[in-house]
Amino acid sequence: MQASEVNIPDLLELEKKVYQGKQPWSSFSFASELRKKHNSLYLVIYDKAQLVGFIGGRFIPCEGHITNIAVDPTYQGQGIGHYLINLIVEIARKNGARQVSLEVRADNELAQKIYKGLGFEAQFIRAGYYQDDHMDAINMVLHLKGKEDTK
């Protein structure tokens, strides 16, 4: 279902579980994104009252961008992340996007492997991208049309 501001406490709690107590996104950051209804979409999945996964995406002409994704560690490996990514990719495709991009931590080899398995390709490094520890990010792109269409 589509996220709203009432989901923010759950989003923050899930971040703590996924990122070993850290919260890469603040309450303000989530609220700001959720207000951008014209080009931003956040989806959440609950198991009863527990948030088990979420994804955020932004859409501009010709491109979709995954801003963040998290799946509760006890629910990982069940296809929830794939499902969420595929939803954003399908929405981007329906909106005429030619590609979907994302950033992934350079030291997160598991996530990189998952994204590669979904067809994303590494494009370039964003040096010092993450504010908390200045870790580099790898920009990855999934091309939605043939190479001749992406030029």
Side-chain angles (χ1 to χ4, degrees):
M1 77 177 174
Q2 188 168 346
S4 70
E5 290 193 27
V6 300
N7 301 110
I8 291 174
D10 294 339
L11 295 169
L12 294 170
E13 191 60 34
L14 183 54
E15 276 193 327
K16 283 183 189 176
K17 288 181 183 177
V18 171
Y19 298 109
Q20 295 77 41
K22 296 179 183 175
Q23 290 180 296
W25 282 54
S26 68
S27 178
F28 175 81
S29 297
F30 279 119
S32 176
E33 283 296 304
L34 291 170
R35 281 196 230 47
K36 297 176 184 174
K37 297 196 184 295
H38 64 284
N39 71 342
S40 181
L41 176 67
Y42 275 71
L43 302 172
V44 291
I45 296 178
Y46 280 84
D47 181 7
K48 299 182 178 101
Q50 180 182 352
L51 178 65
V52 298
F54 73 85
I55 192 166
R58 265 192 227 127
F59 305 92
I60 58 172
C62 299
E63 183 177 351
H65 181 76
I66 296 172
T67 55
N68 55 13
I69 181 170
V71 175
D72 187 305
T74 59
Y75 287 80
Q76 290 177 3
Q78 298 180 29
I80 294 169
H82 284 116
Y83 174 75
L84 289 167
I85 291 170
N86 287 329
L87 280 174
I88 292 294
V89 167
E90 189 55 33
I91 292 166
R93 183 177 276 121
K94 285 180 180 177
N95 286 318
R98 295 179 178 212
Q99 67 182 29
V100 175
S101 63
L102 58 80
E103 276 81 33
V104 59
R105 291 178 66 89
D107 63 351
N108 191 341
E109 294 177 14
L110 177 60
Q112 292 170 43
K113 183 178 177 182
I114 291 168
Y115 300 141
K116 285 178 185 173
L118 290 167
F120 285 81
E121 301 171 352
Q123 298 295 297
F124 56 87
I125 303 287
R126 292 190 190 273
Y129 181 79
Y130 292 96
Q131 292 179 359
D132 61 343
D133 61 2
H134 306 290
M135 172 62 64
D136 294 347
I138 300 172
N139 176 271
M140 299 184 79
V141 172
L142 172 66
H143 297 284
L144 300 180
K145 303 203 178 196
K147 290 185 188 240
E148 68 279 358
D149 293 336
T150 59
K151 293 182 182 175

